[in-house]
Amino acid sequence: MDNDTDSSQIRQTYANAGRIFNTLFEEIGKVIVGQNDVVEQIMIALLCNGHALLESSPGLGKTLTISTISRVIDLSFSRIQCTPDLMPADITGTTVVEERGGTKEFRFEKGPIFTNILLADEINRASPKTQSALLEAMQEKQVTVAGSTYRLDRPFFVLATQNPIEQEGTYPLPEAQLDRFLLKILLDYPSFEDELEIVNRYTGKIEPQTSRGISRATLADLQNLTRDVPISEELKQKAIRIVALTRQPGAIEYGASPRASIALILASKARALIRGRNFVSDEDVRTMAYPVLRHRIILSFDAERTGMTPDDAVSDILSKI
Amino acid sequence: MDIEPFVRKAGSRLHQYRLLYNGLDTILAALILFAAAIVFDIGAFFRLIGPIEPYVGLVLNIGAFAVSYETLGLLLLCIAAAVLIVKLIPRIRPVFSGKAIVRFFKKAIGERKIEIKRSSEKPVKTGGTRKTDWPSQAVSLIETKNPALKDRLRTAYDNVRNDDIVSQDLVAHVSEEIESVPLSCMMNKKKIRIDILAIIVIFAAVLFFWAASIEPLVDTDRIVSDFRYNVSGDELSHVTPDGDAPSTDTAGSVITGPPTISQSKGTEIDVSLPPGSGIGPGSQLDAENAAEIFGPSTDYDPTSIAAGHYTDALPEGYETLVKQYFEKMAENS
């Protein structure tokens, strides 16, 4: 009976998927101007049950974007501002002594990580110990404190940010940890027209508001449907070939792992579903290659010296396929 | 329409079309080579091949037609060469295509070295096999001819057995759409038209050259003759069958006349018989005195006896003469 209910619910969700995503993006668009690609990529990471690393300069609306998404999808949201003195307990939570009825007992005080969407601002400022605690929770979807394990709520999505311009005194994430992020999203400055719209919206008397777009259950159905989106064998092999080419000697010193192949195919499926298609196209694979691979490859010294970026290396690989 | 039988059928049909294209290309290539062979009289070179030379000029009767052996051989050679060309072109075209060459030279030298190094390394395995996957190629072609099916037909075909909602939805939609897709869309009608037209034109040209007996562009007979008789010095002299003196003007010599006889100079030998020879018992004997000198040893007439009988019953003194004769011959040889 439950299976039938679930099945019919999923069918309903699938039938309305196009309308659901339109509603979602419309609601988000009321608050966030432009940045359609960024919003889409964050949604892709959410649908794939992964995490995203966002690189942008300050003041581009990172917090606003992610908090708006959490409001539209009816998910709880927390924000952590990472600083060098941030301790792991500040993220995971700690055990406190509480006096109740004359007796003292330990009580676990949950940290900000116990949420659905967590924004870890400037993660490269936190110490490696604190970064590890967060990344371990991202991977395991649970937290262990004083011998007790606490499972995190589902869905659990971390959007970590990095500031590309202030790198002094930071602790860059090691490659093994970067690999845990499904996508690396680049947030650029808005166009003149978009900036004009932003100014118009946020200098007026009434600030734009948004309302709930979809429920948590619908999001869970969409996450299941993402994995069901079919992909042809040829495209699957093409995705693997793209990742394998990052391991060939040349401009790339260290290439991507098989985790990147999984990420690329999943992300392509999510993009197809968001775009209203029931199949993965060649365009999906090529477009998602950039956010999936740019943080998983390390360029050689010669390549960096010539000013090559990871995106240039990915473009070079795609031109060969 | 079910996708799997449709794709299998499309693959089989594509295979047939490819065979047709290859057949037409082979005929066309063979005709072009044959036309070139006639124009340049390549058949004359058969005279240089020892085992084939006796057949040059001979004619084979096939029904009402008479075909020379060299023409038949030329035709077979052209067909074999055409088959080879048609097989090789698809393999060498990607390597030597204009785009590949331009791309190679556009790269900086350092990148070219990396490229060469990469090509010599183990290739990335994708699980593909060398056997032609006709259904897969058919799907690609149908998707190209019907853009609405791009990526969808292939994805539906690969996931036809999945029972999830999304795959089944895709399969259902694609199954509906392929009903209006004719398999003949895979045929390259333009290529077939061009091939047939070219075959007709070249065939007509070949018949024209043959029927008009036009002189070949290259004097292959002379090339062949020069190759075979390319010697110098006094060892050889050419004598005509009539015994006339050989002509030193080779430029004006008639090369299509009766063959000359070649003789080589040897050493003089004395073939004269020593004194007393030639006067054997046969010349002195007659029927009247034969009976007085010789007693009959056989029933046969002594004037016409077997040669072996001479040595068995020689008169006195002739043994020494015969022995001297043969000794003289041995000395002189």
Side-chain angles (χ1 to χ4, degrees), chain A residues 10 14 228 230-234 237 241 248-249 278-279 281-282 320, chain B residues 114 118 121 124 126 151-152 154-155 158-159 164-167 169-170:
Chain A
I10 285 182
Y14 176 64
D228 286 344
I231 181 171
S232 65
E233 283 302 314
E234 187 191 346
Q237 290 184 13
R241 224 177 299 142
Q248 300 279 342
N278 52 11
F279 63 97
S281 72
D282 184 68
K320 292 187 176 77
Chain B
I114 292 169
R118 276 184 197 169
E121 287 168 355
V124 175
T126 59
D151 287 329
R152 295 172 69 222
R154 181 175 298 284
T155 308
D158 288 340
N159 292 275
D164 58 81
I165 304 167
V166 188
S167 302
D169 181 49
L170 175 68

PDB file of all heavy atoms in Angstrom, chain A residues 10 14 228 230-234 237 241 248-249 278-279 281-282 320, chain B residues 114 118 121 124 126 151-152 154-155 158-159 164-167 169-170:
ATOM      1  N   ILE A  10       5.239   9.616  -6.879  1.00  0.00           N
ATOM      2  CA  ILE A  10       6.377   9.894  -7.757  1.00  0.00           C
ATOM      3  C   ILE A  10       5.885  10.161  -9.170  1.00  0.00           C
ATOM      4  O   ILE A  10       6.396  11.053  -9.861  1.00  0.00           O
ATOM      5  CB  ILE A  10       7.403   8.734  -7.724  1.00  0.00           C
ATOM      6  CG1 ILE A  10       8.190   8.766  -6.419  1.00  0.00           C
ATOM      7  CG2 ILE A  10       8.348   8.816  -8.911  1.00  0.00           C
ATOM      8  CD1 ILE A  10       9.244   7.702  -6.299  1.00  0.00           C
ATOM      9  N   TYR A  14       6.577  13.413 -11.248  1.00  0.00           N
ATOM     10  CA  TYR A  14       7.214  13.375 -12.560  1.00  0.00           C
ATOM     11  C   TYR A  14       6.355  14.091 -13.595  1.00  0.00           C
ATOM     12  O   TYR A  14       6.861  14.853 -14.428  1.00  0.00           O
ATOM     13  CB  TYR A  14       7.482  11.926 -12.987  1.00  0.00           C
ATOM     14  CG  TYR A  14       8.054  11.825 -14.384  1.00  0.00           C
ATOM     15  CD1 TYR A  14       9.296  12.353 -14.676  1.00  0.00           C
ATOM     16  CD2 TYR A  14       7.315  11.237 -15.410  1.00  0.00           C
ATOM     17  CE1 TYR A  14       9.811  12.286 -15.955  1.00  0.00           C
ATOM     18  CE2 TYR A  14       7.840  11.163 -16.689  1.00  0.00           C
ATOM     19  CZ  TYR A  14       9.076  11.692 -16.950  1.00  0.00           C
ATOM     20  OH  TYR A  14       9.582  11.625 -18.223  1.00  0.00           O
ATOM     21  N   ASP A 228      16.711   8.261 -11.962  1.00  0.00           N
ATOM     22  CA  ASP A 228      16.006   7.446 -12.958  1.00  0.00           C
ATOM     23  C   ASP A 228      16.150   7.980 -14.376  1.00  0.00           C
ATOM     24  O   ASP A 228      15.829   7.273 -15.324  1.00  0.00           O
ATOM     25  CB  ASP A 228      14.504   7.378 -12.619  1.00  0.00           C
ATOM     26  CG  ASP A 228      14.233   6.475 -11.424  1.00  0.00           C
ATOM     27  OD1 ASP A 228      15.134   5.691 -11.080  1.00  0.00           O
ATOM     28  OD2 ASP A 228      13.134   6.568 -10.849  1.00  0.00           O
ATOM     29  N   PRO A 230      17.234   8.364 -17.837  1.00  0.00           N
ATOM     30  CA  PRO A 230      18.097   7.453 -18.591  1.00  0.00           C
ATOM     31  C   PRO A 230      19.185   8.199 -19.363  1.00  0.00           C
ATOM     32  O   PRO A 230      18.988   9.323 -19.810  1.00  0.00           O
ATOM     33  CB  PRO A 230      17.127   6.761 -19.550  1.00  0.00           C
ATOM     34  CG  PRO A 230      16.006   7.720 -19.714  1.00  0.00           C
ATOM     35  CD  PRO A 230      15.899   8.510 -18.463  1.00  0.00           C
ATOM     36  N   ILE A 231      20.313   7.516 -19.507  1.00  0.00           N
ATOM     37  CA  ILE A 231      21.432   8.052 -20.289  1.00  0.00           C
ATOM     38  C   ILE A 231      21.898   6.942 -21.219  1.00  0.00           C
ATOM     39  O   ILE A 231      21.910   5.766 -20.841  1.00  0.00           O
ATOM     40  CB  ILE A 231      22.580   8.544 -19.367  1.00  0.00           C
ATOM     41  CG1 ILE A 231      23.740   9.115 -20.192  1.00  0.00           C
ATOM     42  CG2 ILE A 231      23.069   7.454 -18.427  1.00  0.00           C
ATOM     43  CD1 ILE A 231      24.804   9.817 -19.366  1.00  0.00           C
ATOM     44  N   SER A 232      22.267   7.302 -22.447  1.00  0.00           N
ATOM     45  CA  SER A 232      22.695   6.272 -23.405  1.00  0.00           C
ATOM     46  C   SER A 232      24.105   5.781 -23.066  1.00  0.00           C
ATOM     47  O   SER A 232      24.876   6.488 -22.405  1.00  0.00           O
ATOM     48  CB  SER A 232      22.681   6.841 -24.829  1.00  0.00           C
ATOM     49  OG  SER A 232      23.645   7.863 -24.950  1.00  0.00           O
ATOM     50  N   GLU A 233      24.421   4.582 -23.532  1.00  0.00           N
ATOM     51  CA  GLU A 233      25.748   4.005 -23.280  1.00  0.00           C
ATOM     52  C   GLU A 233      26.846   4.866 -23.901  1.00  0.00           C
ATOM     53  O   GLU A 233      27.924   5.037 -23.345  1.00  0.00           O
ATOM     54  CB  GLU A 233      25.820   2.590 -23.880  1.00  0.00           C
ATOM     55  CG  GLU A 233      25.122   1.531 -23.065  1.00  0.00           C
ATOM     56  CD  GLU A 233      25.660   1.418 -21.651  1.00  0.00           C
ATOM     57  OE1 GLU A 233      26.894   1.402 -21.484  1.00  0.00           O
ATOM     58  OE2 GLU A 233      24.848   1.374 -20.714  1.00  0.00           O
ATOM     59  N   GLU A 234      26.523   5.417 -25.075  1.00  0.00           N
ATOM     60  CA  GLU A 234      27.525   6.223 -25.775  1.00  0.00           C
ATOM     61  C   GLU A 234      27.884   7.454 -24.948  1.00  0.00           C
ATOM     62  O   GLU A 234      29.067   7.800 -24.800  1.00  0.00           O
ATOM     63  CB  GLU A 234      26.959   6.653 -27.131  1.00  0.00           C
ATOM     64  CG  GLU A 234      27.970   7.364 -28.013  1.00  0.00           C
ATOM     65  CD  GLU A 234      27.325   8.010 -29.215  1.00  0.00           C
ATOM     66  OE1 GLU A 234      26.159   7.702 -29.523  1.00  0.00           O
ATOM     67  OE2 GLU A 234      27.978   8.839 -29.839  1.00  0.00           O
ATOM     68  N   GLN A 237      29.955   6.521 -21.878  1.00  0.00           N
ATOM     69  CA  GLN A 237      31.359   6.292 -22.233  1.00  0.00           C
ATOM     70  C   GLN A 237      32.055   7.602 -22.536  1.00  0.00           C
ATOM     71  O   GLN A 237      33.239   7.780 -22.231  1.00  0.00           O
ATOM     72  CB  GLN A 237      31.440   5.349 -23.443  1.00  0.00           C
ATOM     73  CG  GLN A 237      31.036   3.936 -23.107  1.00  0.00           C
ATOM     74  CD  GLN A 237      31.198   2.982 -24.271  1.00  0.00           C
ATOM     75  OE1 GLN A 237      31.822   3.295 -25.280  1.00  0.00           O
ATOM     76  NE2 GLN A 237      30.641   1.797 -24.144  1.00  0.00           N
ATOM     77  N   ARG A 241      35.317   9.013 -20.759  1.00  0.00           N
ATOM     78  CA  ARG A 241      36.476   9.380 -21.587  1.00  0.00           C
ATOM     79  C   ARG A 241      36.950  10.784 -21.245  1.00  0.00           C
ATOM     80  O   ARG A 241      38.143  11.069 -21.204  1.00  0.00           O
ATOM     81  CB  ARG A 241      36.092   9.319 -23.065  1.00  0.00           C
ATOM     82  CG  ARG A 241      37.152   8.631 -23.916  1.00  0.00           C
ATOM     83  CD  ARG A 241      36.738   8.515 -25.355  1.00  0.00           C
ATOM     84  NE  ARG A 241      35.546   7.726 -25.501  1.00  0.00           N
ATOM     85  CZ  ARG A 241      34.574   7.980 -26.377  1.00  0.00           C
ATOM     86  NH1 ARG A 241      34.641   9.003 -27.178  1.00  0.00           N
ATOM     87  NH2 ARG A 241      33.523   7.203 -26.446  1.00  0.00           N
ATOM     88  N   GLN A 248      45.717  12.162 -18.621  1.00  0.00           N
ATOM     89  CA  GLN A 248      46.788  12.051 -19.605  1.00  0.00           C
ATOM     90  C   GLN A 248      47.805  13.164 -19.344  1.00  0.00           C
ATOM     91  O   GLN A 248      47.433  14.269 -18.959  1.00  0.00           O
ATOM     92  CB  GLN A 248      46.225  12.203 -21.029  1.00  0.00           C
ATOM     93  CG  GLN A 248      45.184  11.167 -21.387  1.00  0.00           C
ATOM     94  CD  GLN A 248      45.799   9.854 -21.794  1.00  0.00           C
ATOM     95  OE1 GLN A 248      46.969   9.797 -22.123  1.00  0.00           O
ATOM     96  NE2 GLN A 248      45.030   8.788 -21.763  1.00  0.00           N
ATOM     97  N   PRO A 249      49.091  12.891 -19.564  1.00  0.00           N
ATOM     98  CA  PRO A 249      50.099  13.931 -19.319  1.00  0.00           C
ATOM     99  C   PRO A 249      49.934  15.091 -20.295  1.00  0.00           C
ATOM    100  O   PRO A 249      49.528  14.913 -21.428  1.00  0.00           O
ATOM    101  CB  PRO A 249      51.425  13.197 -19.558  1.00  0.00           C
ATOM    102  CG  PRO A 249      51.085  12.006 -20.364  1.00  0.00           C
ATOM    103  CD  PRO A 249      49.679  11.630 -20.034  1.00  0.00           C
ATOM    104  N   ASN A 278      13.399  13.949 -20.595  1.00  0.00           N
ATOM    105  CA  ASN A 278      13.457  12.627 -19.968  1.00  0.00           C
ATOM    106  C   ASN A 278      14.631  11.812 -20.519  1.00  0.00           C
ATOM    107  O   ASN A 278      14.592  10.585 -20.569  1.00  0.00           O
ATOM    108  CB  ASN A 278      12.129  11.879 -20.155  1.00  0.00           C
ATOM    109  CG  ASN A 278      11.687  11.853 -21.610  1.00  0.00           C
ATOM    110  OD1 ASN A 278      12.452  12.218 -22.511  1.00  0.00           O
ATOM    111  ND2 ASN A 278      10.463  11.432 -21.845  1.00  0.00           N
ATOM    112  N   PHE A 279      15.681  12.499 -20.964  1.00  0.00           N
ATOM    113  CA  PHE A 279      16.886  11.830 -21.431  1.00  0.00           C
ATOM    114  C   PHE A 279      18.048  12.815 -21.271  1.00  0.00           C
ATOM    115  O   PHE A 279      17.846  14.037 -21.244  1.00  0.00           O
ATOM    116  CB  PHE A 279      16.753  11.409 -22.898  1.00  0.00           C
ATOM    117  CG  PHE A 279      16.592  12.567 -23.846  1.00  0.00           C
ATOM    118  CD1 PHE A 279      17.675  13.087 -24.539  1.00  0.00           C
ATOM    119  CD2 PHE A 279      15.348  13.164 -24.033  1.00  0.00           C
ATOM    120  CE1 PHE A 279      17.525  14.166 -25.399  1.00  0.00           C
ATOM    121  CE2 PHE A 279      15.194  14.242 -24.879  1.00  0.00           C
ATOM    122  CZ  PHE A 279      16.287  14.743 -25.573  1.00  0.00           C
ATOM    123  N   SER A 281      21.269  14.607 -22.750  1.00  0.00           N
ATOM    124  CA  SER A 281      21.780  14.949 -24.080  1.00  0.00           C
ATOM    125  C   SER A 281      23.284  15.231 -24.000  1.00  0.00           C
ATOM    126  O   SER A 281      23.849  15.404 -22.916  1.00  0.00           O
ATOM    127  CB  SER A 281      21.049  16.178 -24.632  1.00  0.00           C
ATOM    128  OG  SER A 281      21.471  17.329 -23.936  1.00  0.00           O
ATOM    129  N   ASP A 282      23.880  15.294 -25.166  1.00  0.00           N
ATOM    130  CA  ASP A 282      25.307  15.584 -25.271  1.00  0.00           C
ATOM    131  C   ASP A 282      25.629  16.950 -24.661  1.00  0.00           C
ATOM    132  O   ASP A 282      26.666  17.139 -24.015  1.00  0.00           O
ATOM    133  CB  ASP A 282      25.706  15.550 -26.760  1.00  0.00           C
ATOM    134  CG  ASP A 282      27.178  15.737 -26.960  1.00  0.00           C
ATOM    135  OD1 ASP A 282      27.937  14.823 -26.564  1.00  0.00           O
ATOM    136  OD2 ASP A 282      27.594  16.775 -27.486  1.00  0.00           O
ATOM    137  N   LYS A 320      38.569  17.633 -28.005  1.00  0.00           N
ATOM    138  CA  LYS A 320      39.117  16.387 -28.560  1.00  0.00           C
ATOM    139  C   LYS A 320      38.047  15.294 -28.661  1.00  0.00           C
ATOM    140  O   LYS A 320      38.218  14.305 -29.365  1.00  0.00           O
ATOM    141  CB  LYS A 320      40.226  15.858 -27.654  1.00  0.00           C
ATOM    142  CG  LYS A 320      41.467  16.708 -27.622  1.00  0.00           C
ATOM    143  CD  LYS A 320      42.555  16.008 -26.838  1.00  0.00           C
ATOM    144  CE  LYS A 320      43.828  16.818 -26.880  1.00  0.00           C
ATOM    145  NZ  LYS A 320      43.832  17.975 -26.001  1.00  0.00           N
TER     146      LYS A 320
ATOM    147  N   ILE B 114      53.593  16.200 -27.418  1.00  0.00           N
ATOM    148  CA  ILE B 114      52.713  15.562 -26.437  1.00  0.00           C
ATOM    149  C   ILE B 114      51.685  14.699 -27.159  1.00  0.00           C
ATOM    150  O   ILE B 114      51.375  13.591 -26.746  1.00  0.00           O
ATOM    151  CB  ILE B 114      52.017  16.636 -25.569  1.00  0.00           C
ATOM    152  CG1 ILE B 114      53.048  17.334 -24.677  1.00  0.00           C
ATOM    153  CG2 ILE B 114      50.931  16.008 -24.709  1.00  0.00           C
ATOM    154  CD1 ILE B 114      52.517  18.565 -24.003  1.00  0.00           C
ATOM    155  N   ARG B 118      51.141  10.833 -26.741  1.00  0.00           N
ATOM    156  CA  ARG B 118      49.844  10.306 -26.296  1.00  0.00           C
ATOM    157  C   ARG B 118      49.356   9.221 -27.223  1.00  0.00           C
ATOM    158  O   ARG B 118      48.787   8.228 -26.800  1.00  0.00           O
ATOM    159  CB  ARG B 118      48.812  11.430 -26.283  1.00  0.00           C
ATOM    160  CG  ARG B 118      48.842  12.244 -25.022  1.00  0.00           C
ATOM    161  CD  ARG B 118      47.738  13.255 -25.063  1.00  0.00           C
ATOM    162  NE  ARG B 118      47.955  14.303 -24.093  1.00  0.00           N
ATOM    163  CZ  ARG B 118      47.266  15.429 -24.050  1.00  0.00           C
ATOM    164  NH1 ARG B 118      46.335  15.662 -24.924  1.00  0.00           N
ATOM    165  NH2 ARG B 118      47.495  16.331 -23.132  1.00  0.00           N
ATOM    166  N   GLU B 121      50.757   5.969 -26.522  1.00  0.00           N
ATOM    167  CA  GLU B 121      50.438   5.349 -25.239  1.00  0.00           C
ATOM    168  C   GLU B 121      49.212   4.467 -25.383  1.00  0.00           C
ATOM    169  O   GLU B 121      48.495   4.530 -26.376  1.00  0.00           O
ATOM    170  CB  GLU B 121      50.164   6.429 -24.190  1.00  0.00           C
ATOM    171  CG  GLU B 121      51.431   7.145 -23.738  1.00  0.00           C
ATOM    172  CD  GLU B 121      51.101   8.389 -22.925  1.00  0.00           C
ATOM    173  OE1 GLU B 121      49.933   8.736 -22.796  1.00  0.00           O
ATOM    174  OE2 GLU B 121      52.051   9.000 -22.428  1.00  0.00           O
ATOM    175  N   VAL B 124      42.613   4.938 -24.178  1.00  0.00           N
ATOM    176  CA  VAL B 124      41.584   4.785 -23.144  1.00  0.00           C
ATOM    177  C   VAL B 124      40.590   3.736 -23.602  1.00  0.00           C
ATOM    178  O   VAL B 124      40.034   3.832 -24.681  1.00  0.00           O
ATOM    179  CB  VAL B 124      40.855   6.124 -22.914  1.00  0.00           C
ATOM    180  CG1 VAL B 124      39.723   5.941 -21.933  1.00  0.00           C
ATOM    181  CG2 VAL B 124      41.841   7.169 -22.394  1.00  0.00           C
ATOM    182  N   THR B 126      37.265   1.942 -23.980  1.00  0.00           N
ATOM    183  CA  THR B 126      35.868   2.323 -23.822  1.00  0.00           C
ATOM    184  C   THR B 126      34.962   1.122 -23.945  1.00  0.00           C
ATOM    185  O   THR B 126      33.768   1.243 -23.999  1.00  0.00           O
ATOM    186  CB  THR B 126      35.465   3.349 -24.893  1.00  0.00           C
ATOM    187  OG1 THR B 126      35.692   2.761 -26.181  1.00  0.00           O
ATOM    188  CG2 THR B 126      36.292   4.615 -24.752  1.00  0.00           C
ATOM    189  N   ASP B 151      19.562  11.991 -29.732  1.00  0.00           N
ATOM    190  CA  ASP B 151      19.856  11.511 -28.379  1.00  0.00           C
ATOM    191  C   ASP B 151      18.721  10.677 -27.788  1.00  0.00           C
ATOM    192  O   ASP B 151      18.946   9.862 -26.892  1.00  0.00           O
ATOM    193  CB  ASP B 151      20.162  12.668 -27.410  1.00  0.00           C
ATOM    194  CG  ASP B 151      21.529  13.297 -27.672  1.00  0.00           C
ATOM    195  OD1 ASP B 151      22.433  12.563 -28.110  1.00  0.00           O
ATOM    196  OD2 ASP B 151      21.679  14.510 -27.453  1.00  0.00           O
ATOM    197  N   ARG B 152      17.497  10.849 -28.260  1.00  0.00           N
ATOM    198  CA  ARG B 152      16.349  10.171 -27.640  1.00  0.00           C
ATOM    199  C   ARG B 152      16.256   8.717 -28.084  1.00  0.00           C
ATOM    200  O   ARG B 152      16.028   7.823 -27.254  1.00  0.00           O
ATOM    201  CB  ARG B 152      15.057  10.911 -27.994  1.00  0.00           C
ATOM    202  CG  ARG B 152      14.999  12.311 -27.410  1.00  0.00           C
ATOM    203  CD  ARG B 152      13.818  13.083 -27.933  1.00  0.00           C
ATOM    204  NE  ARG B 152      12.581  12.510 -27.416  1.00  0.00           N
ATOM    205  CZ  ARG B 152      11.491  12.333 -28.136  1.00  0.00           C
ATOM    206  NH1 ARG B 152      11.480  12.660 -29.404  1.00  0.00           N
ATOM    207  NH2 ARG B 152      10.410  11.831 -27.597  1.00  0.00           N
ATOM    208  N   ARG B 154      18.594   6.729 -29.235  1.00  0.00           N
ATOM    209  CA  ARG B 154      19.713   5.954 -28.684  1.00  0.00           C
ATOM    210  C   ARG B 154      19.492   5.687 -27.194  1.00  0.00           C
ATOM    211  O   ARG B 154      19.689   4.575 -26.710  1.00  0.00           O
ATOM    212  CB  ARG B 154      21.025   6.708 -28.875  1.00  0.00           C
ATOM    213  CG  ARG B 154      22.247   5.967 -28.352  1.00  0.00           C
ATOM    214  CD  ARG B 154      23.523   6.707 -28.678  1.00  0.00           C
ATOM    215  NE  ARG B 154      23.726   6.836 -30.114  1.00  0.00           N
ATOM    216  CZ  ARG B 154      24.128   5.849 -30.888  1.00  0.00           C
ATOM    217  NH1 ARG B 154      24.379   4.671 -30.387  1.00  0.00           N
ATOM    218  NH2 ARG B 154      24.297   6.048 -32.183  1.00  0.00           N
ATOM    219  N   THR B 155      19.056   6.735 -26.461  1.00  0.00           N
ATOM    220  CA  THR B 155      18.834   6.573 -25.026  1.00  0.00           C
ATOM    221  C   THR B 155      17.691   5.587 -24.771  1.00  0.00           C
ATOM    222  O   THR B 155      17.794   4.730 -23.880  1.00  0.00           O
ATOM    223  CB  THR B 155      18.504   7.930 -24.372  1.00  0.00           C
ATOM    224  OG1 THR B 155      19.507   8.875 -24.736  1.00  0.00           O
ATOM    225  CG2 THR B 155      18.463   7.829 -22.875  1.00  0.00           C
ATOM    226  N   ASP B 158      18.939   2.023 -25.460  1.00  0.00           N
ATOM    227  CA  ASP B 158      19.835   1.498 -24.428  1.00  0.00           C
ATOM    228  C   ASP B 158      19.103   1.216 -23.113  1.00  0.00           C
ATOM    229  O   ASP B 158      19.582   0.436 -22.293  1.00  0.00           O
ATOM    230  CB  ASP B 158      20.980   2.495 -24.167  1.00  0.00           C
ATOM    231  CG  ASP B 158      21.977   2.545 -25.310  1.00  0.00           C
ATOM    232  OD1 ASP B 158      22.010   1.581 -26.106  1.00  0.00           O
ATOM    233  OD2 ASP B 158      22.715   3.548 -25.412  1.00  0.00           O
ATOM    234  N   ASN B 159      17.976   1.891 -22.893  1.00  0.00           N
ATOM    235  CA  ASN B 159      17.288   1.763 -21.602  1.00  0.00           C
ATOM    236  C   ASN B 159      15.910   1.132 -21.747  1.00  0.00           C
ATOM    237  O   ASN B 159      15.046   1.313 -20.884  1.00  0.00           O
ATOM    238  CB  ASN B 159      17.154   3.147 -20.947  1.00  0.00           C
ATOM    239  CG  ASN B 159      18.502   3.713 -20.528  1.00  0.00           C
ATOM    240  OD1 ASN B 159      19.006   3.421 -19.448  1.00  0.00           O
ATOM    241  ND2 ASN B 159      19.084   4.514 -21.392  1.00  0.00           N
ATOM    242  N   ASP B 164      11.826   1.964 -14.689  1.00  0.00           N
ATOM    243  CA  ASP B 164      11.499   3.172 -13.930  1.00  0.00           C
ATOM    244  C   ASP B 164      10.609   4.082 -14.781  1.00  0.00           C
ATOM    245  O   ASP B 164      10.487   3.917 -15.993  1.00  0.00           O
ATOM    246  CB  ASP B 164      12.779   3.904 -13.498  1.00  0.00           C
ATOM    247  CG  ASP B 164      13.653   4.281 -14.676  1.00  0.00           C
ATOM    248  OD1 ASP B 164      13.369   5.311 -15.317  1.00  0.00           O
ATOM    249  OD2 ASP B 164      14.603   3.527 -14.972  1.00  0.00           O
ATOM    250  N   ILE B 165      10.020   5.053 -14.080  1.00  0.00           N
ATOM    251  CA  ILE B 165       8.990   5.895 -14.721  1.00  0.00           C
ATOM    252  C   ILE B 165       9.571   6.681 -15.886  1.00  0.00           C
ATOM    253  O   ILE B 165       8.972   6.765 -16.967  1.00  0.00           O
ATOM    254  CB  ILE B 165       8.421   6.900 -13.690  1.00  0.00           C
ATOM    255  CG1 ILE B 165       7.874   6.161 -12.478  1.00  0.00           C
ATOM    256  CG2 ILE B 165       7.324   7.741 -14.310  1.00  0.00           C
ATOM    257  CD1 ILE B 165       7.591   7.078 -11.329  1.00  0.00           C
ATOM    258  N   VAL B 166      10.718   7.274 -15.642  1.00  0.00           N
ATOM    259  CA  VAL B 166      11.267   8.199 -16.642  1.00  0.00           C
ATOM    260  C   VAL B 166      11.649   7.429 -17.915  1.00  0.00           C
ATOM    261  O   VAL B 166      11.336   7.853 -19.029  1.00  0.00           O
ATOM    262  CB  VAL B 166      12.496   8.951 -16.071  1.00  0.00           C
ATOM    263  CG1 VAL B 166      12.940  10.039 -17.019  1.00  0.00           C
ATOM    264  CG2 VAL B 166      12.174   9.551 -14.718  1.00  0.00           C
ATOM    265  N   SER B 167      12.334   6.291 -17.747  1.00  0.00           N
ATOM    266  CA  SER B 167      12.751   5.506 -18.916  1.00  0.00           C
ATOM    267  C   SER B 167      11.540   5.022 -19.695  1.00  0.00           C
ATOM    268  O   SER B 167      11.525   5.083 -20.935  1.00  0.00           O
ATOM    269  CB  SER B 167      13.594   4.303 -18.486  1.00  0.00           C
ATOM    270  OG  SER B 167      14.721   4.717 -17.777  1.00  0.00           O
ATOM    271  N   ASP B 169       8.631   6.323 -19.821  1.00  0.00           N
ATOM    272  CA  ASP B 169       8.001   7.463 -20.496  1.00  0.00           C
ATOM    273  C   ASP B 169       8.731   7.767 -21.802  1.00  0.00           C
ATOM    274  O   ASP B 169       8.117   7.994 -22.850  1.00  0.00           O
ATOM    275  CB  ASP B 169       8.027   8.677 -19.555  1.00  0.00           C
ATOM    276  CG  ASP B 169       7.367   9.893 -20.175  1.00  0.00           C
ATOM    277  OD1 ASP B 169       6.242   9.763 -20.693  1.00  0.00           O
ATOM    278  OD2 ASP B 169       7.979  10.981 -20.151  1.00  0.00           O
ATOM    279  N   LEU B 170      10.056   7.760 -21.741  1.00  0.00           N
ATOM    280  CA  LEU B 170      10.868   8.038 -22.928  1.00  0.00           C
ATOM    281  C   LEU B 170      10.621   6.967 -23.994  1.00  0.00           C
ATOM    282  O   LEU B 170      10.419   7.272 -25.174  1.00  0.00           O
ATOM    283  CB  LEU B 170      12.346   8.079 -22.543  1.00  0.00           C
ATOM    284  CG  LEU B 170      13.320   8.246 -23.703  1.00  0.00           C
ATOM    285  CD1 LEU B 170      13.196   9.625 -24.315  1.00  0.00           C
ATOM    286  CD2 LEU B 170      14.769   8.040 -23.234  1.00  0.00           C
TER     287      LEU B 170
END
